[in-house]
Amino acid sequence: MTTHADDQVEVGAEPGHWFESEPLWFKRAVFYEIHTRGFFDSNDDGSGDLRGITEKLDYLQWLGVDCIWLLPMYASPLRDGGYDISSFADIHPDYGSVDDLAALLEAAHRRGIRVIADLVMNHTSVDHPWFQESRSSPDSPKRDWYVWSDTDERYADARIIFVDTESSNWTWDPVAGAYYWHRFFAHQPDLNYENPEVRDEMLAVLRFWLELGLDGFRLDAVPYLFEREGTNCENLLETHAYLKRVREEVDTLYPDRVLLAEANQWPSDVVHYFGDGDECHMAFHFPLMPRMFMALRREDATPIGEILEQTPSIPGNCQWGLFLRNHDELTLEMVTDDERDYMYAEYAKDPRMKLNLGIRRRLAPLLDHGRAEIELLTAILFSLPGSPVLYYGDEIGMGDNVYLGDRDGVRTPMHWTGDRNAGFSRADFAQLYLPPLMDPVSGFQAVNVEAQLRNPSSLLRWLQRFIALRKEHPVFGLGTYEAQTTENPRIFAHVRQYEDDTILCVHNVARSAQAVELDLSRYEGRVPVEMLGRSRFPAIGSLPYLLTLAPRGFFWFDLEEGDG
């Protein structure tokens, strides 16, 4: 490392000390995404911190979380929620120190919980010393660490991602007397991966945190690492070649760690980020998520089935990351114009709910706080091939605040109790980084962890049991997926198989009760046992199997061998 190398700390135990070697652990894991500033404040300054997460590990262990994903906690001016990094080897002082992260990792590992963190490889903040040095002079040793140009007409085929705020991917820098390239905000200049020094330095950044004990990274914005004239500057071969080098380094020096690609692309492009099982271990399946919401509102499961049909198979040592909501807007980049218009009309009736090409809302308010809808989409998510990623607060049905700017509406303090400041902080209310929700429907006095722990039928209790059920059956993380054709488009059904486990999942996306006949003749003689209540249904025969599902209802069946 060339920056703040003395910040490295010695970790007493080997980072994997608490775990048996299990290279594919991520395939069965349930991930939980945490915005450190919003989770729990341990020192009463109004901002969540790493020690606060450490204090809440028992809760996460009880919930059944296997791996925590931390949003960026690095030094940053926080003009983009920490995705604008000003030092790759320092923790933002509001969040604590490198020692605090080391303590969190050890405490999490002791509980069998792994921890990964965001790593922004594509760009830095304009405040980063590298950029300040780069802009200072054409002769600076760091000049070629960023992408500079005398004209703003290069790479004209690259789209602008943040259409609400940026009119160009180039920004004039009066200090440098040149334009610099940025795929995101103008205050986030892209690193120049054509430069071998940059490639080496970013590998050193990975090693720094893996040495500390991190279990891997969510690699932010990886499709945009390289630029080439005459292309859209996304998904280039050079990018994949570099990711193979990163993977080889991680596998050789730090086995059992995971690289999760954030590539908001069509499935046919995203699969290339797995390589031949030698690039990223995981990648998010972005196009699936809006289609789940589309299916629910249309009461037609076709959009889910269609995108899964378009999803190519992936190497056996890789896994999809699946989610309903996260810290960003519900992205509508990977849908048609008509589908985007439909989603805006249905889910963003207030213009304040829109951001870029997406909808900045949390799960519960998107679904009008409907318990049946939340459970149904969670069931579909958990039943699909991939590892589910939960967003902090969604387990209790937290709401959002569309009156807050940018993405802050979905990054408000976690509701722990109905007490002052939602039990998030003992600071004065005015000191809080953002106000907790106080509306009558989803305010912290109505929706909080403490109250839901006391209620056996709460959403939180249900989800804890549901996570446990999924983890009892490796088939969901490791098994094959086969869609079941039905005459009823309101039903989404499929079979998952792994070793001796055969699971039939049937979901009704309609607001009314539905009947469906399924051709299960190849399982003739088997007995469907409903997995939540262990109720035995009639044995499967040669005729189509008739099921009736409640509105927004679902069944998961274990197809057990019959007695005869």
Side-chain angles (χ1 to χ4, degrees):
M1 292 291 294
T2 57
T3 54
H4 304 274
D6 14 330
D7 279 345
Q8 296 192 41
V9 300
E10 292 295 321
V11 183
E14 171 65 27
H17 171 72
W18 300 103
F19 301 104
E20 298 286 329
S21 177
E22 191 184 349
L24 300 181
W25 63 267
F26 55 88
K27 296 191 72 165
R28 294 183 57 185
V30 174
F31 290 75
Y32 186 92
E33 180 189 0
I34 293 179
H35 175 37
T36 301
R37 190 178 289 280
F39 202 58
F40 187 66
D41 173 15
S42 73
N43 62 355
D44 308 336
D45 65 352
S47 176
D49 44 52
L50 294 168
R51 289 184 180 183
I53 298 174
T54 305
E55 289 184 28
K56 294 297 184 181
L57 285 175
D58 287 345
Y59 164 75
L60 296 174
Q61 184 181 17
W62 168 83
L63 185 59
V65 170
D66 298 291
C67 184
I68 296 166
W69 156 25
L70 298 176
L71 294 189
M73 67 285 174
Y74 314 98
S76 166
L78 298 179
R79 294 174 68 185
D80 182 28
Y83 285 90
D84 47 333
I85 295 172
S86 58
S87 171
F88 283 105
D90 286 314
I91 300 290
H92 192 285
D94 286 359
Y95 296 162
S97 66
V98 175
D99 287 342
D100 290 333
L101 179 61
L104 167 59
L105 295 175
E106 187 174 345
H109 290 165
R110 207 179 304 126
R111 290 167 174 81
I113 298 174
R114 290 175 165 90
V115 182
I116 66 171
D118 258 302
L119 184 66
V120 185
M121 300 187 76
N122 180 66
H123 51 261
T124 70
S125 165
V126 289
D127 292 2
H128 199 293
W130 298 346
F131 185 73
Q132 294 301 318
E133 194 177 333
S134 180
R135 75 198 298 208
S136 64
S137 163
D139 302 320
S140 163
K142 293 281 195 298
R143 183 65 161 197
D144 196 36
W145 281 43
Y146 293 84
V147 183
W148 295 99
S149 173
D150 295 329
T151 171
D152 61 355
E153 295 176 4
R154 293 171 62 199
Y155 311 136
D157 297 326
R159 66 192 171 110
I160 295 168
I161 295 170
F162 286 161
V163 292
D164 285 3
T165 50
E166 303 299 330
S167 56
S168 170
N169 287 322
W170 291 102
T171 291
W172 175 258
D173 181 46
V175 177
Y179 292 95
Y180 64 86
W181 175 255
H182 56 89
R183 289 310 301 270
F184 295 89
F185 290 119
H187 59 78
Q188 294 169 326
D190 277 26
L191 289 162
N192 177 20
Y193 275 85
E194 296 290 348
N195 185 334
E197 292 179 0
V198 170
R199 299 197 294 270
D200 292 345
E201 184 63 22
M202 291 311 292
L203 274 173
V205 169
L206 267 79
R207 287 196 297 269
F208 176 79
W209 295 109
L210 293 173
E211 282 292 330
L212 193 74
L214 266 183
D215 296 288
F217 298 98
R218 170 199 178 262
L219 301 178
D220 182 71
V222 286
Y224 317 108
L225 299 187
F226 286 81
E227 297 79 35
R228 195 176 345 117
E229 204 63 70
T231 73
N232 66 357
C233 299
E234 299 178 21
N235 311 317
L236 300 185
L237 293 176
E238 297 93 324
T239 294
H240 291 292
Y242 181 65
L243 287 174
K244 288 179 192 294
R245 181 183 167 194
V246 171
R247 171 65 178 270
E248 184 179 8
E249 182 103 355
V250 170
D251 280 357
T252 302
L253 299 177
Y254 309 100
D256 290 2
R257 312 300 171 89
V258 68
L259 299 172
L260 168 56
E262 188 229 11
N264 189 358
Q265 308 281 324
W266 290 103
S268 55
D269 289 321
V270 177
V271 292
H272 296 302
Y273 287 90
F274 298 118
D276 297 318
D278 59 355
E279 285 188 39
C280 293
H281 304 77
M282 296 181 68
F284 285 120
H285 198 315
F286 278 96
L288 172 64
M289 178 263 303
R291 285 164 178 80
M292 294 171 69
F293 289 93
M294 205 181 299
L296 199 68
R297 197 53 65 100
R298 287 182 178 172
E299 301 185 54
D300 181 350
T302 308
I304 303 175
E306 283 180 347
I307 198 67
L308 290 169
E309 276 178 33
Q310 293 173 35
T311 302
S313 58
I314 62 176
N317 63 339
C318 296
Q319 183 70 303
W320 289 111
L322 309 177
F323 64 99
L324 293 172
R325 290 303 314 111
N326 62 18
H327 61 288
D328 287 338
E329 58 272 20
L330 189 162
T331 179
L332 299 176
E333 288 180 85
M334 298 298 138
V335 298
T336 66
D337 290 345
D338 287 345
E339 289 170 334
R340 188 178 302 121
D341 291 342
Y342 175 80
M343 288 291 286
Y344 279 146
E346 291 295 326
Y347 286 110
K349 292 184 168 36
D350 185 328
R352 279 174 291 236
M353 296 172 182
K354 299 178 186 177
L355 184 67
N356 297 315
L357 287 180
I359 301 170
R360 55 188 202 102
R361 306 224 66 192
R362 268 189 176 267
L363 177 63
L366 275 169
L367 302 180
D368 299 321
H369 301 277
R371 172 74 180 266
E373 285 76 11
I374 294 173
E375 290 187 8
L376 175 63
L377 281 194
T378 302
I380 294 174
L381 181 81
F382 276 38
S383 73
L384 293 175
S387 297
V389 181
L390 308 174
Y391 185 47
Y392 85 97
D394 281 354
E395 72 268 27
I396 56 173
M398 256 178 74
D400 52 37
N401 184 349
V402 298
Y403 299 99
L404 295 174
D406 196 33
R407 292 157 164 170
D408 284 346
V410 300
R411 300 181 184 182
T412 55
M414 177 71 172
H415 295 178
W416 293 105
T417 70
D419 297 334
R420 169 178 150 198
N421 298 337
F424 160 76
S425 173
R426 292 181 294 274
D428 290 344
F429 179 80
Q431 277 183 273
L432 301 186
Y433 78 99
L434 286 175
L437 304 176
M438 292 178 282
D439 64 273
V441 175
S442 56
F444 65 85
Q445 290 174 318
V447 176
N448 63 72
V449 170
E450 181 184 54
Q452 294 200 18
L453 284 174
R454 292 182 182 182
N455 178 2
S457 60
S458 67
L459 176 63
L460 176 60
R461 289 279 192 181
W462 176 85
L463 185 62
Q464 188 263 345
R465 292 191 296 269
F466 205 62
I467 290 172
L469 175 67
R470 187 186 189 279
K471 288 168 70 170
E472 282 174 20
H473 294 270
V475 62
F476 292 113
L478 303 172
T480 59
Y481 165 87
E482 184 183 353
Q484 295 295 296
T485 54
T486 75
E487 296 292 317
N488 187 342
R490 296 168 185 244
I491 300 297
F492 174 60
H494 57 268
V495 170
R496 304 294 310 278
Q497 275 191 298
Y498 178 69
E499 294 181 347
D500 297 333
D501 247 354
T502 303
I503 306 293
L504 169 67
C505 302
V506 190
H507 311 88
N508 172 20
V509 299
R511 278 174 264 207
S512 53
Q514 296 291 316
V516 63
E517 291 185 333
L518 297 172
D519 179 8
L520 303 176
S521 52
R522 67 170 136 158
Y523 304 112
E524 186 172 354
R526 292 201 178 201
V527 176
V529 178
E530 198 276 321
M531 293 170 68
L532 282 168
R534 301 301 302 165
S535 305
R536 294 172 69 83
F537 276 52
I540 297 167
S542 55
L543 297 175
Y545 198 84
L546 174 65
L547 286 170
T548 308
L549 289 92
R552 308 287 205 212
F554 69 92
F555 287 123
W556 282 7
F557 292 112
D558 197 343
L559 301 186
E560 297 185 354
E561 298 287 352
D563 297 333

